Amino acid sequence: MVDSARSHLLEQVRGYHDAQSAGPVPFIPGQTPILSSGAVLDAADREALVAAALDLRIASGAIATKFESSFARKLKRRKAVLTNSGSSANLLALSTLTSPTLGAEQLKPGDEVITVAAGFPTTVNPILQNGMVPVFVDIELGTYNTTVDRVEQAISPRTRAIMIAHTLGNPFPVAEIAELAAQHGLHLIEDNCDAVGSTYQGQLTGTFGRFSTVSFYPAHHLTMGEGGMLLSSDIKLAKLAKSFRDWGRDCWCEPGEDDRCLKRFDLQSGTLPASYDHKYVFSEIGYNLKSTDIHAALGLSQLAKLPDFIEARKRNWRQLREGLDGLPGLILPEATPGSDPSWFGFIITVKPEAGYTVPEIVDYLEARNIRTRRLFAGNLTRHPAYLGRPQRIPGPLTNSDIVTEQTFWIGVYPGISTEMIEYVLGTLKEFVATH
């Protein structure tokens, strides 16, 4: 009876979705918003969410565990640790490396971590939040990533780690930087939040560093609404990360599970009594960064569509790049040599001699319902939050300043149709012709 009622409800959910989505929505140029990013959700996603809710999967459990293992296989890493956001995944990655159990590899307050100035705060904030010193390096225009030479020149005796994001899905030269990190005994953390499915030298991004991170915010390649993932092929580090995610507890039992180690009341830890319950022993200074099964159910449903999402992003980016080629006054994006990006956005820099400015072109696009975004924070060192904070800047941040003044990006996400791209191309060409 219960199973029958459940099946009937889910059938109604599918019917509701079909009724809500009946027929294609016509694109009206200038009226239909062309978003910079967004979630693409179908009947299977709606059904997955409702099914988890019907089962009252209100905490992290079996669905979250299944999503972790499925996503790890897809991204070719041995272990995945689900979090409540990509920002939390970044915090978790760096914080895990502060564990005293790592011995000589432990990161400590005052250690330097190399990162880029032109990025998003959540790649940098964990460095400061752990009492370390961000070392800001510049990027190059075109790829909008840093270079091996810039990173190498930034290394000092105090440098212990490198933490960099693949910009808008375009890989930084990660194989070479991973080799550089190995030569100097540095940890490498790849912020892969914008680049799921990108490859460098035929290898998936997010598989080069000790840790990589992913975001499932609606703007990203897959969505859980809110959520993130930390990935590693180092079993010891992954186990540590799970402890840091789950309050810092020593126990490795899943929620609702007891005594997997068969020594729940027999372990001696710290100065606690020998019979103290292992489920309440804490070995790290951790957080609660868990997600829920309801969120994970949506993630699992989305995962099946990842190949199509990636192909749509590549197709939209290619159409924009070919359509804008040769347009005067603009620096168009270039894939990093040796890479095949799973693009997050299409980035444009206005040349100083263009005869028009970024505010002018952005206003023109926005007035025609074409949404734009800046390259995140531009030069982070110029923001109020970072003024007066510990930092080192080993060289000029010339291109990071250019990005702050002269760069924006537009969307390529799968919800954008070929017809929409043609409208964007026509609007940009019209603007340039009249300015």
Side-chain angles (χ1 to χ4, degrees):
M1 179 67 180
V2 172
D3 288 344
S4 175
R6 186 178 187 279
S7 297
H8 178 64
L9 277 171
L10 294 178
E11 185 178 340
Q12 288 184 311
V13 168
R14 290 190 291 272
Y16 174 81
H17 181 92
D18 292 342
Q20 287 286 99
S21 311
V25 178
F27 170 63
I28 304 174
Q31 295 185 32
T32 304
I34 302 176
L35 305 179
S36 58
S37 60
V40 176
L41 303 167
D42 63 13
D45 297 321
R46 194 186 296 266
E47 184 178 347
L49 282 169
V50 173
L54 286 174
D55 294 338
L56 293 178
R57 308 296 308 200
I58 60 173
S60 178
I63 301 177
T65 300
K66 182 178 179 181
F67 184 40
E68 287 175 331
S69 60
S70 298
F71 195 75
R73 285 195 299 273
K74 181 70 73 173
L75 272 290
K76 301 188 185 302
R77 302 242 79 177
R78 295 180 69 187
K79 290 291 182 181
V81 180
L82 186 64
T83 63
N84 54 12
S85 71
S87 306
S88 293
N90 279 349
L91 176 62
L92 185 60
L94 199 69
S95 298
T96 297
L97 296 173
T98 68
S99 172
T101 64
L102 296 178
E105 293 187 315
Q106 178 192 9
L107 297 184
K108 297 178 181 178
D111 286 345
E112 291 183 349
V113 182
I114 296 173
T115 189
V116 297
F120 198 73
T122 55
T123 310
V124 175
N125 290 351
I127 302 169
L128 291 165
Q129 288 161 340
N130 278 284
M132 298 173 209
V133 180
V135 178
F136 290 105
V137 296
D138 204 14
I139 60 169
E140 61 178 6
L141 301 179
T143 67
Y144 300 90
N145 285 303
T146 193
T147 60
V148 179
D149 288 345
R150 287 183 174 95
V151 173
E152 186 169 24
Q153 291 165 12
I155 295 173
S156 81
R158 294 177 58 193
T159 305
R160 299 294 312 285
I162 302 168
M163 187 171 184
I164 303 176
H166 299 286
T167 305
L168 292 180
N170 196 17
F172 61 84
V174 61
E176 294 86 349
I177 289 178
E179 183 178 348
L180 183 67
Q183 290 171 359
H184 290 269
L186 309 178
H187 299 288
L188 173 61
I189 300 171
E190 291 178 75
D191 182 331
N192 201 40
C193 291
D194 291 350
V196 173
S198 294
T199 62
Y200 185 75
Q201 296 181 0
Q203 181 175 335
L204 282 171
T205 57
T207 61
F208 292 86
R210 300 202 75 182
F211 281 132
S212 63
T213 59
V214 170
S215 172
F216 300 120
Y217 188 70
H220 288 96
H221 288 60
L222 303 177
T223 188
M224 292 168 50
E226 295 282 359
M229 195 80 84
L230 177 148
L231 298 111
S232 181
S233 289
D234 186 315
I235 299 299
K236 178 182 177 182
L237 282 181
K239 181 181 175 183
L240 269 176
K242 189 174 179 183
S243 173
F244 271 84
R245 183 198 67 179
D246 298 358
W247 308 284
R249 67 178 187 162
D250 200 70
C251 178
W252 53 84
C253 289
E254 297 294 339
E257 181 182 52
D258 293 336
D259 206 21
R260 188 194 296 185
C261 64
L262 304 178
K263 296 181 179 180
R264 179 180 171 189
F265 299 108
D266 297 326
L267 295 173
Q268 172 66 54
S269 302
T271 61
L272 293 168
S275 60
Y276 202 80
D277 189 345
H278 189 225
K279 287 182 70 71
Y280 293 95
V281 173
F282 299 90
S283 55
E284 304 290 348
I285 307 299
Y287 310 91
N288 178 4
L289 304 177
K290 297 192 302 299
S291 188
T292 70
D293 268 14
I294 290 179
H295 287 91
L298 178 56
L300 264 175
S301 177
Q302 286 267 295
L303 186 57
K305 295 177 271 286
L306 181 59
D308 290 339
F309 286 167
I310 291 171
E311 183 51 43
R313 288 176 175 276
K314 291 180 178 181
R315 182 180 64 246
N316 287 340
W317 188 93
R318 213 163 37 239
Q319 188 180 352
L320 284 168
R321 186 63 179 78
E322 292 170 359
L324 295 175
D325 193 42
L327 201 63
L330 303 178
I331 298 174
L332 299 181
E334 300 288 347
T336 301
S339 75
D340 182 11
S342 173
W343 294 99
F344 184 71
F346 189 92
I347 189 167
I348 297 171
T349 295
V350 176
K351 296 179 181 178
E353 68 274 16
Y356 49 85
T357 65
V358 165
E360 288 173 332
I361 195 170
V362 162
D363 286 348
Y364 195 86
L365 292 170
E366 293 279 351
R368 288 151 182 80
N369 259 328
I370 300 169
R371 300 290 180 254
T372 66
R373 293 291 185 268
R374 291 301 189 108
L375 184 55
F376 308 128
N379 185 346
L380 274 166
T381 68
R382 296 171 60 176
H383 287 256
Y386 303 96
L387 298 177
R389 300 281 186 177
Q391 60 184 250
R392 184 166 67 85
I393 304 174
L397 300 176
T398 305
N399 290 334
S400 299
D401 285 330
I402 289 173
V403 160
T404 307
E405 306 288 344
Q406 297 164 224
T407 300
F408 69 100
W409 60 271
I410 52 181
V412 298
Y413 85 105
I416 297 177
S417 66
T418 298
E419 185 181 12
M420 290 175 174
I421 296 288
E422 287 297 330
Y423 175 67
V424 172
L425 289 171
T427 303
L428 282 166
K429 291 175 180 178
E430 179 182 81
F431 173 86
V432 171
T434 56
H435 288 74

